[in-house]
Structure formats: structure tokens, C-alpha cells
Amino acid sequence: MSNMRLIAWLCFILLAATLKYLSWDFQHFNPGIPNDFAFETAGKDETRAIVETWDTSSWGQHSVTTGVKLFTFIDFAYILAYSYILVTLSYDRMQLERHTFLNNLLRLCFPLAILAGLFDVVENILFLFNMEHYDLAGGYISISPFTYTKWTLIAIVALIWLISKIKSLIIR
């Protein structure tokens, strides 16, 4: 494993663990509080209610809103790590794949992984925007199309890997 891949994996693991811990910590201090996915898929009225709940709920000495913003900024680094890992895993699988059609699908995973990361960046920017402007008329922009597109792209990449792996187990 190259140094760059090792660093990416270490960053990915560290960032994933940090985000998981923060998520657990929010839930520990405020059981039942809406999480970031609820916010990402919420409509305008739901967004307002979630932010108001976050503003009035505490996370240690801070509001949950402050913690969620921290969570979102950490997520920007996580996006870089997971996008890089998706591309390198696709490349590794591509090196093993001898079937031309599947090899081309694995090549398609590169731009799909990058697009997923870009949709995630836009999602985070809109997430922060909506947290700041939820109470302004016309200040809300729906995040859910970006959220669902990101997860769809990641699922497509995973499905291509799975098909390639199953094919390699069946046909040797």
C-alpha cells in the first residue's frame, strides 16, 4: 500500500470515528433529537423546527447547532477521504477485472465517486446555509436532491464492485 493510500485510509478511519462519536455524543446528551440526515431530508417547515430544537438543546456548554456545524466542517475532510478511497478501490478492482464491460463500468466508478463527493460538498454548503437562514422568507434551499443523488451514486459504485467481485468468484 502506498503512503498516500495509507494516509487516506488513516484519515478516513479517524474522521469516520470522530463523526460517529460526535453523533453518539449528540444523541447521548439529547435522546431523540433529530440528526443530520433528518435535517438533510426535511422540508422547509421541518428544517425550521429542527434548527429551533438544536438551538434550544445543549451539547456540553454549547448548543447542538454549534456541534452540528463542527460536525459538518469535519465532514468536508471526510468527503475528500472517502472520495479518494472510492476511486482507489475502484482502480484496484479494475486491475483485477478481465471482462471488458465490467472493467469499463469500474472505470465509470471514478467519475461517479468524484460526483458523489461534489454532491456531498454542495449538500454541506446548503446544510450550513439552511442552518443560518432557516428563519428568512425564501432563505431555504432543499438539500434532499443532493443527499439522495450522493447516496445513489455511492450505491451504484458499490453495486458495480459487487457484480465484479461475484463474477470473479463464479468465473475464474
mmCIF file of all heavy atoms in Angstrom, residues 110-134:
data_model
loop_
_atom_site.group_PDB
_atom_site.id
_atom_site.type_symbol
_atom_site.label_atom_id
_atom_site.label_comp_id
_atom_site.label_asym_id
_atom_site.label_seq_id
_atom_site.Cartn_x
_atom_site.Cartn_y
_atom_site.Cartn_z
ATOM 1 N N PHE A 110 -14.857 5.966 -11.209
ATOM 2 C CA PHE A 110 -14.012 7.125 -10.876
ATOM 3 C C PHE A 110 -14.832 8.409 -10.884
ATOM 4 O O PHE A 110 -14.908 9.110 -9.875
ATOM 5 C CB PHE A 110 -12.837 7.262 -11.833
ATOM 6 C CG PHE A 110 -11.862 6.116 -11.855
ATOM 7 C CD1 PHE A 110 -11.999 4.989 -11.063
ATOM 8 C CD2 PHE A 110 -10.779 6.174 -12.698
ATOM 9 C CE1 PHE A 110 -11.094 3.955 -11.095
ATOM 10 C CE2 PHE A 110 -9.856 5.138 -12.742
ATOM 11 C CZ PHE A 110 -10.018 4.021 -11.943
ATOM 12 N N PRO A 111 -15.457 8.753 -12.043
ATOM 13 C CA PRO A 111 -16.241 10.000 -12.030
ATOM 14 C C PRO A 111 -17.459 9.923 -11.116
ATOM 15 O O PRO A 111 -17.868 10.945 -10.549
ATOM 16 C CB PRO A 111 -16.647 10.203 -13.492
ATOM 17 C CG PRO A 111 -16.477 8.883 -14.148
ATOM 18 C CD PRO A 111 -15.415 8.158 -13.384
ATOM 19 N N LEU A 112 -18.035 8.729 -10.943
ATOM 20 C CA LEU A 112 -19.183 8.608 -10.043
ATOM 21 C C LEU A 112 -18.778 8.917 -8.602
ATOM 22 O O LEU A 112 -19.511 9.601 -7.878
ATOM 23 C CB LEU A 112 -19.793 7.207 -10.129
ATOM 24 C CG LEU A 112 -20.468 6.834 -11.445
ATOM 25 C CD1 LEU A 112 -21.011 5.402 -11.380
ATOM 26 C CD2 LEU A 112 -21.558 7.818 -11.813
ATOM 27 N N ALA A 113 -17.610 8.435 -8.191
ATOM 28 C CA ALA A 113 -17.119 8.709 -6.833
ATOM 29 C C ALA A 113 -16.834 10.202 -6.651
ATOM 30 O O ALA A 113 -17.161 10.781 -5.613
ATOM 31 C CB ALA A 113 -15.866 7.885 -6.550
ATOM 32 N N ILE A 114 -16.239 10.802 -7.654
ATOM 33 C CA ILE A 114 -15.940 12.236 -7.584
ATOM 34 C C ILE A 114 -17.238 13.046 -7.567
ATOM 35 O O ILE A 114 -17.385 13.995 -6.788
ATOM 36 C CB ILE A 114 -15.009 12.663 -8.736
ATOM 37 C CG1 ILE A 114 -13.630 12.014 -8.530
ATOM 38 C CG2 ILE A 114 -14.895 14.176 -8.844
ATOM 39 C CD1 ILE A 114 -12.717 12.081 -9.730
ATOM 40 N N LEU A 115 -18.195 12.647 -8.409
ATOM 41 C CA LEU A 115 -19.500 13.325 -8.412
ATOM 42 C C LEU A 115 -20.201 13.182 -7.069
ATOM 43 O O LEU A 115 -20.811 14.145 -6.575
ATOM 44 C CB LEU A 115 -20.397 12.736 -9.505
ATOM 45 C CG LEU A 115 -20.368 13.424 -10.860
ATOM 46 C CD1 LEU A 115 -21.216 12.648 -11.863
ATOM 47 C CD2 LEU A 115 -20.847 14.848 -10.763
ATOM 48 N N ALA A 116 -20.133 12.002 -6.471
ATOM 49 C CA ALA A 116 -20.734 11.794 -5.146
ATOM 50 C C ALA A 116 -20.113 12.764 -4.147
ATOM 51 O O ALA A 116 -20.824 13.387 -3.342
ATOM 52 C CB ALA A 116 -20.550 10.352 -4.687
ATOM 53 N N GLY A 117 -18.793 12.900 -4.197
ATOM 54 C CA GLY A 117 -18.115 13.838 -3.312
ATOM 55 C C GLY A 117 -18.542 15.274 -3.569
ATOM 56 O O GLY A 117 -18.767 16.046 -2.624
ATOM 57 N N LEU A 118 -18.701 15.647 -4.837
ATOM 58 C CA LEU A 118 -19.136 17.002 -5.169
ATOM 59 C C LEU A 118 -20.569 17.259 -4.691
ATOM 60 O O LEU A 118 -20.869 18.342 -4.172
ATOM 61 C CB LEU A 118 -19.013 17.260 -6.671
ATOM 62 C CG LEU A 118 -17.588 17.340 -7.207
ATOM 63 C CD1 LEU A 118 -17.585 17.444 -8.733
ATOM 64 C CD2 LEU A 118 -16.841 18.509 -6.590
ATOM 65 N N PHE A 119 -21.442 16.273 -4.871
ATOM 66 C CA PHE A 119 -22.804 16.423 -4.364
ATOM 67 C C PHE A 119 -22.795 16.554 -2.847
ATOM 68 O O PHE A 119 -23.588 17.301 -2.276
ATOM 69 C CB PHE A 119 -23.688 15.242 -4.790
ATOM 70 C CG PHE A 119 -24.321 15.444 -6.140
ATOM 71 C CD1 PHE A 119 -23.711 14.963 -7.288
ATOM 72 C CD2 PHE A 119 -25.531 16.111 -6.260
ATOM 73 C CE1 PHE A 119 -24.293 15.143 -8.533
ATOM 74 C CE2 PHE A 119 -26.113 16.305 -7.503
ATOM 75 C CZ PHE A 119 -25.491 15.820 -8.646
ATOM 76 N N ASP A 120 -21.891 15.844 -2.191
ATOM 77 C CA ASP A 120 -21.778 15.935 -0.734
ATOM 78 C C ASP A 120 -21.287 17.323 -0.313
ATOM 79 O O ASP A 120 -21.750 17.876 0.685
ATOM 80 C CB ASP A 120 -20.839 14.848 -0.205
ATOM 81 C CG ASP A 120 -21.122 14.445 1.231
ATOM 82 O OD1 ASP A 120 -21.949 15.104 1.890
ATOM 83 O OD2 ASP A 120 -20.504 13.475 1.692
ATOM 84 N N VAL A 121 -20.357 17.892 -1.065
ATOM 85 C CA VAL A 121 -19.877 19.246 -0.764
ATOM 86 C C VAL A 121 -21.028 20.251 -0.893
ATOM 87 O O VAL A 121 -21.237 21.089 -0.007
ATOM 88 C CB VAL A 121 -18.691 19.641 -1.683
ATOM 89 C CG1 VAL A 121 -18.408 21.126 -1.617
ATOM 90 C CG2 VAL A 121 -17.441 18.840 -1.325
ATOM 91 N N VAL A 122 -21.779 20.154 -1.988
ATOM 92 C CA VAL A 122 -22.925 21.050 -2.174
ATOM 93 C C VAL A 122 -23.932 20.835 -1.049
ATOM 94 O O VAL A 122 -24.468 21.803 -0.485
ATOM 95 C CB VAL A 122 -23.580 20.836 -3.560
ATOM 96 C CG1 VAL A 122 -24.894 21.603 -3.675
ATOM 97 C CG2 VAL A 122 -22.626 21.239 -4.672
ATOM 98 N N GLU A 123 -24.161 19.569 -0.696
ATOM 99 C CA GLU A 123 -25.071 19.249 0.405
ATOM 100 C C GLU A 123 -24.624 19.941 1.696
ATOM 101 O O GLU A 123 -25.432 20.550 2.397
ATOM 102 C CB GLU A 123 -25.103 17.736 0.595
ATOM 103 C CG GLU A 123 -25.866 17.238 1.782
ATOM 104 C CD GLU A 123 -25.610 15.757 2.001
ATOM 105 O OE1 GLU A 123 -25.856 14.965 1.074
ATOM 106 O OE2 GLU A 123 -25.169 15.399 3.107
ATOM 107 N N ASN A 124 -23.334 19.872 2.005
ATOM 108 C CA ASN A 124 -22.823 20.503 3.222
ATOM 109 C C ASN A 124 -22.949 22.023 3.180
ATOM 110 O O ASN A 124 -23.292 22.649 4.192
ATOM 111 C CB ASN A 124 -21.361 20.124 3.462
ATOM 112 C CG ASN A 124 -21.212 18.748 4.056
ATOM 113 O OD1 ASN A 124 -22.184 18.070 4.355
ATOM 114 N ND2 ASN A 124 -19.981 18.309 4.215
ATOM 115 N N ILE A 125 -22.676 22.616 2.031
ATOM 116 C CA ILE A 125 -22.791 24.071 1.898
ATOM 117 C C ILE A 125 -24.245 24.498 2.111
ATOM 118 O O ILE A 125 -24.527 25.445 2.856
ATOM 119 C CB ILE A 125 -22.254 24.551 0.527
ATOM 120 C CG1 ILE A 125 -20.724 24.374 0.475
ATOM 121 C CG2 ILE A 125 -22.651 25.996 0.243
ATOM 122 C CD1 ILE A 125 -20.120 24.534 -0.908
ATOM 123 N N LEU A 126 -25.168 23.782 1.477
ATOM 124 C CA LEU A 126 -26.590 24.094 1.655
ATOM 125 C C LEU A 126 -27.045 23.806 3.082
ATOM 126 O O LEU A 126 -27.890 24.531 3.631
ATOM 127 C CB LEU A 126 -27.443 23.301 0.659
ATOM 128 C CG LEU A 126 -27.265 23.686 -0.805
ATOM 129 C CD1 LEU A 126 -28.105 22.791 -1.705
ATOM 130 C CD2 LEU A 126 -27.596 25.151 -1.031
ATOM 131 N N PHE A 127 -26.498 22.776 3.683
ATOM 132 C CA PHE A 127 -26.787 22.431 5.073
ATOM 133 C C PHE A 127 -26.449 23.617 5.970
ATOM 134 O O PHE A 127 -27.272 24.064 6.775
ATOM 135 C CB PHE A 127 -25.944 21.200 5.442
ATOM 136 C CG PHE A 127 -26.270 20.567 6.747
ATOM 137 C CD1 PHE A 127 -27.091 19.456 6.806
ATOM 138 C CD2 PHE A 127 -25.734 21.038 7.936
ATOM 139 C CE1 PHE A 127 -27.378 18.830 8.012
ATOM 140 C CE2 PHE A 127 -26.008 20.434 9.149
ATOM 141 C CZ PHE A 127 -26.846 19.328 9.192
ATOM 142 N N LEU A 128 -25.232 24.147 5.806
ATOM 143 C CA LEU A 128 -24.808 25.296 6.613
ATOM 144 C C LEU A 128 -25.649 26.535 6.293
ATOM 145 O O LEU A 128 -26.029 27.284 7.192
ATOM 146 C CB LEU A 128 -23.322 25.569 6.398
ATOM 147 C CG LEU A 128 -22.375 24.492 6.934
ATOM 148 C CD1 LEU A 128 -20.959 24.719 6.423
ATOM 149 C CD2 LEU A 128 -22.408 24.440 8.454
ATOM 150 N N PHE A 129 -25.938 26.736 5.016
ATOM 151 C CA PHE A 129 -26.766 27.868 4.603
ATOM 152 C C PHE A 129 -28.144 27.789 5.263
ATOM 153 O O PHE A 129 -28.641 28.775 5.825
ATOM 154 C CB PHE A 129 -26.910 27.900 3.073
ATOM 155 C CG PHE A 129 -27.843 28.974 2.584
ATOM 156 C CD1 PHE A 129 -27.391 30.266 2.395
ATOM 157 C CD2 PHE A 129 -29.175 28.686 2.322
ATOM 158 C CE1 PHE A 129 -28.244 31.271 1.945
ATOM 159 C CE2 PHE A 129 -30.048 29.674 1.878
ATOM 160 C CZ PHE A 129 -29.571 30.968 1.689
ATOM 161 N N ASN A 130 -28.768 26.620 5.184
ATOM 162 C CA ASN A 130 -30.108 26.458 5.756
ATOM 163 C C ASN A 130 -30.105 26.609 7.271
ATOM 164 O O ASN A 130 -31.077 27.104 7.835
ATOM 165 C CB ASN A 130 -30.710 25.110 5.356
ATOM 166 C CG ASN A 130 -31.187 25.093 3.919
ATOM 167 O OD1 ASN A 130 -31.344 26.131 3.286
ATOM 168 N ND2 ASN A 130 -31.408 23.910 3.396
ATOM 169 N N MET A 131 -29.027 26.207 7.923
ATOM 170 C CA MET A 131 -28.950 26.385 9.371
ATOM 171 C C MET A 131 -28.913 27.866 9.728
ATOM 172 O O MET A 131 -29.465 28.277 10.749
ATOM 173 C CB MET A 131 -27.713 25.675 9.942
ATOM 174 C CG MET A 131 -27.895 24.178 10.022
ATOM 175 S SD MET A 131 -26.453 23.345 10.668
ATOM 176 C CE MET A 131 -26.367 23.996 12.312
ATOM 177 N N GLU A 132 -28.256 28.665 8.922
ATOM 178 C CA GLU A 132 -28.138 30.094 9.201
ATOM 179 C C GLU A 132 -29.371 30.882 8.763
ATOM 180 O O GLU A 132 -29.678 31.912 9.338
ATOM 181 C CB GLU A 132 -26.904 30.670 8.494
ATOM 182 C CG GLU A 132 -25.593 30.202 9.086
ATOM 183 C CD GLU A 132 -25.401 30.648 10.525
ATOM 184 O OE1 GLU A 132 -25.775 31.793 10.866
ATOM 185 O OE2 GLU A 132 -24.898 29.835 11.317
ATOM 186 N N HIS A 133 -30.054 30.412 7.710
ATOM 187 C CA HIS A 133 -31.115 31.213 7.097
ATOM 188 C C HIS A 133 -32.487 30.541 7.170
ATOM 189 O O HIS A 133 -33.370 30.898 6.400
ATOM 190 C CB HIS A 133 -30.768 31.496 5.632
ATOM 191 C CG HIS A 133 -29.457 32.192 5.470
ATOM 192 N ND1 HIS A 133 -29.256 33.503 5.840
ATOM 193 C CD2 HIS A 133 -28.263 31.758 5.023
ATOM 194 C CE1 HIS A 133 -28.000 33.841 5.610
ATOM 195 N NE2 HIS A 133 -27.377 32.806 5.113
ATOM 196 N N TYR A 134 -32.658 29.607 8.082
ATOM 197 C CA TYR A 134 -33.928 28.876 8.150
ATOM 198 C C TYR A 134 -35.115 29.777 8.475
ATOM 199 O O TYR A 134 -36.249 29.466 8.138
ATOM 200 C CB TYR A 134 -33.849 27.741 9.174
ATOM 201 C CG TYR A 134 -33.798 28.212 10.613
ATOM 202 C CD1 TYR A 134 -34.962 28.343 11.360
ATOM 203 C CD2 TYR A 134 -32.586 28.542 11.215
ATOM 204 C CE1 TYR A 134 -34.927 28.779 12.668
ATOM 205 C CE2 TYR A 134 -32.544 28.982 12.519
ATOM 206 C CZ TYR A 134 -33.713 29.094 13.246
ATOM 207 O OH TYR A 134 -33.669 29.525 14.529
#
